[in-house]
Amino acid sequence: MNGQATGTETVKRGLAQMLKGGVIMDVVTPEQAKVAEEAGAVAVMALERIPADIRADGGVARMSHPALIERIMKAVTIPVMAKVRIGHIGEARQLQALGVDYIDESEVLTPADDLYHLDKAGYTVPFVCGARNLGEALRRIAEGAAMIRSKGEAGSGNIVEAVRHMRAIRDGIVELSVAPREELVARSRDLGAPLELVREVAANKKLPVVLFCAGGVSTPADAALMMELGAEGIFVGSGIFKSTDPAAFARAIVDATTHWQDADVVLKAHTSIPEAAKAMDGLDIRQLAEHQLMASRGN
Amino acid sequence: MRTPHVGVLALQGDVVEHVHALERAGADVIEVRTPADLERVDALVVPGGESTTVIRLLGRFGLTQPIVERVRGGMPFWGTCMGMIVAAHDVADLEQDTLDLIDVTVRRNAFGRQVDSAEVPLAIPALGDAPFPAVFIRAPWIERTGPAVETLAERDGHGVMVRQGNVLGTSFHPELTGDDRVHAYFLSMMADA
């Protein structure tokens, strides 16, 4: 068709802009996807196993079976995302051919390449990537990521890493935005990020793509906390379907994300979860060995 | 007389992009999250986002009826993409609640999934000769229009910009482009109201 352009930066970043203020939920079946959609999720992440189970099972975690992803795509009308291993060109091409709406190049799966991430700019499908700090976020954007999520520690049920990473990204942006112009070249070197992006962040005081939070959200208050710290939306992995009342937790986390500035609504959202229902069990990050941490995969 | 205020529904979606575009076009903008916010505005823009999410949140937070009453009473309304789906009479082949503010049937994701999302130069005669840089993201099209509905733009033979009196709908996202002609057009609808 005349002048029509697919896969542009504007349309890839644009879908993430449409998801802002929303909650993206990990699901492993079409039925869970429907529970998520009914609760008000803006998108679902189609997986074979949620991060808490990947962590418990050990071994190599790969891209999910395409037939499962396809069944989930047919079950809901909201966007469907799926994960590929860091640097796995073969998995990424498959997911683009399948027509998923977003690919998460994710540290939750076992990395395929311990040195390099995907060249994401070359794909029509948009990518989201995790980051622990501003340098990591800008490297992923330079590779073509159209959306960033703070990494947190997936499947831990513990918000502390998400808070650490979101604060680090935010503090990095604040530092650039007040830095004198003559410092930006050296800061680009120290961040390990392209100067052009460093200058853009310094001028605009924000990332050039949408920033969500991931890795450890398990209650409505967790979601409100992360929005307060500057997240533009929330990924919830294990926090919903590892709780004892997924529908109630899903809805309450959506409500708390929408109205994070209004403590009365967040309180009401939390109160709407039956007292007998339990949030997912959490892990003390300090008890995890280095090889058990997912966030340190990919840099 | 107080300055007219344009509300942008701020439950979910690309709210701030609309706020900035409306401000560039000269409007005073209020973000609308509650029925009390809605009482302060003279027009309402519903941004891009996820329609299944927002229709549920409108119900949960008591905004559905107040919006329907204000728009039926003549308040200018503009829905972009998700906002147009929310405003439609119905959605083709889906059991989806809507506000029924404009007599059209929309088809969701009609141009395809995200890999089919596209930037398209669009002829919109009401905005002048220069084509509009339309951004379509998992976009709907208009499947049916009632007799009172005017189609202002088409892509590949499908309606993508429609107006019925005080209600405007676009399948695409002018708020992502930096071209504020549709925002200015909406503000002129406000002046007429």
Side-chain angles (χ1 to χ4, degrees):
Chain A
M1 271 159 282
N2 291 343
Q4 172 174 313
T6 56
T8 63
E9 201 168 74
T10 299
V11 298
K12 292 201 285 189
R13 292 178 177 184
L15 178 55
Q17 287 170 288
M18 301 310 143
L19 302 177
K20 284 194 294 183
V23 181
I24 299 168
M25 301 182 191
D26 279 3
V27 298
V28 299
T29 64
E31 293 69 35
Q32 288 187 353
K34 284 183 182 152
V35 169
E37 184 173 53
E38 185 57 38
V42 290
V44 291
M45 179 76 70
L47 289 165
E48 271 170 9
R49 291 178 291 171
I50 56 178
D53 291 332
I54 291 174
R55 184 178 288 287
D57 294 350
V60 173
R62 310 181 181 91
M63 180 191 114
S64 300
H65 196 289
L68 170 68
I69 299 170
E70 202 167 16
R71 284 207 309 280
I72 291 172
M73 287 164 67
K74 286 194 177 127
V76 292
T77 60
I78 55 181
V80 175
M81 303 183 167
K83 288 185 194 292
V84 298
R85 285 179 268 178
I86 290 172
H88 204 310
I89 299 166
E91 288 183 349
R93 287 187 180 152
Q94 256 193 68
L95 285 188
Q96 174 163 287
L98 184 61
V100 299
D101 296 299
Y102 241 91
I103 295 178
D104 184 0
E105 187 184 20
S106 177
E107 70 282 1
V108 170
L109 304 184
T110 312
D113 190 322
D114 66 347
L115 293 178
Y116 303 112
H117 282 69
L118 292 164
D119 171 32
K120 293 166 279 287
Y123 291 77
T124 307
V125 64
F127 283 80
V128 56
C129 286
R132 289 166 295 173
N133 52 52
L134 182 61
E136 205 175 340
L138 295 182
R139 285 192 291 282
R140 298 295 86 78
I141 294 167
E143 292 155 358
M147 178 180 190
I148 294 292
R149 53 175 176 75
S150 57
K151 278 180 171 174
E153 188 56 35
S156 72
N158 189 335
I159 200 67
V160 67
E161 293 300 298
V163 168
R164 189 204 313 276
H165 299 156
M166 188 57 72
R167 279 194 187 277
I169 293 169
R170 193 183 66 171
D171 291 352
I173 293 171
V174 170
E175 282 168 24
L176 283 188
S177 66
V178 298
R181 191 175 160 78
E182 65 270 20
E183 290 185 14
L184 294 181
V185 172
R187 286 183 184 266
S188 157
R189 177 200 62 205
D190 296 345
L191 284 166
L195 178 59
E196 185 188 335
L197 282 173
V198 166
R199 285 187 172 146
E200 189 176 346
V201 170
N204 299 334
K205 302 177 174 45
K206 65 188 291 297
L207 292 181
V209 303
V210 168
L211 172 63
F212 268 48
C213 151
V217 173
S218 49
T219 68
D222 287 347
L225 164 65
M226 297 316 299
M227 295 297 283
E228 178 76 41
L229 292 180
E232 296 180 281
I234 305 286
F235 281 89
V236 188
S238 316
I240 291 175
F241 290 100
K242 278 289 170 190
S243 74
T244 61
D245 191 339
F249 271 86
R251 183 180 153 140
I253 290 173
V254 168
D255 286 1
T257 303
T258 304
H259 287 282
W260 61 273
Q261 291 153 303
D262 186 340
D264 290 334
V265 178
V266 178
L267 172 65
K268 209 168 139 198
H270 201 159
T271 310
S272 75
I273 300 171
E275 202 178 336
K278 274 191 67 206
M280 72 176 288
D281 291 332
L283 299 171
D284 185 341
I285 307 293
R286 293 170 303 178
Q287 311 268 330
L288 297 176
E290 175 58 30
H291 73 274
Q292 293 174 302
L293 295 174
M294 291 173 173
S296 52
R297 295 165 166 178
N299 183 38
Chain B
M1 191 185 128
R2 74 183 178 85
T3 322
H5 291 299
V6 182
V8 177
L9 186 73
L11 296 179
Q12 191 274 313
D14 68 335
V15 176
V16 71
E17 289 79 359
H18 266 296
V19 171
H20 291 158
L22 287 163
E23 285 174 349
R24 285 194 303 267
D28 282 320
V29 185
I30 291 176
E31 294 188 6
V32 173
R33 294 186 180 81
T34 65
D37 296 335
L38 186 69
E39 284 175 18
R40 299 168 56 214
V41 304
D42 305 285
L44 184 67
V45 175
V46 177
E50 280 307 314
S51 59
T52 50
T53 305
V54 169
I55 204 82
R56 284 177 174 82
L57 294 175
L58 286 171
R60 275 187 222 167
F61 297 110
L63 280 159
T64 307
Q65 268 321 102
I67 290 176
V68 169
E69 281 164 20
R70 289 290 306 277
V71 176
R72 293 208 175 131
M75 178 177 74
F77 175 102
W78 172 24
T80 54
C81 195
M82 170 273 275
M84 183 174 82
I85 296 165
V86 166
H89 173 70
D90 61 337
V91 182
D93 297 333
L94 277 179
E95 289 291 320
Q96 184 169 338
D97 289 335
T98 59
L99 302 186
D100 191 11
L101 302 174
I102 181 166
D103 187 14
V104 299
T105 301
V106 296
R107 180 171 293 279
R108 286 189 54 197
N109 304 333
F111 291 102
R113 299 189 72 99
Q114 173 61 16
V115 288
D116 306 299
S117 291
E119 295 183 65
V120 181
L122 195 67
I124 309 179
L127 300 183
D129 291 337
F132 191 85
V135 179
F136 290 86
I137 296 177
R138 288 171 44 94
W141 69 42
I142 305 291
E143 190 106 339
R144 176 198 65 84
T145 53
V149 176
E150 184 186 1
T151 300
L152 297 171
E154 288 187 345
R155 174 184 169 198
D156 306 335
H158 301 283
V160 292
M161 180 172 180
V162 284
R163 178 176 176 181
Q164 180 179 352
N166 59 319
V167 180
L168 179 68
T170 55
S171 298
F172 50 95
H173 295 280
E175 72 279 10
L176 296 185
T177 60
D179 184 329
D180 300 327
R181 282 182 288 162
V182 184
H183 289 83
Y185 178 86
F186 180 64
L187 295 184
S188 75
M189 282 172 56
M190 218 174 143
D192 298 342

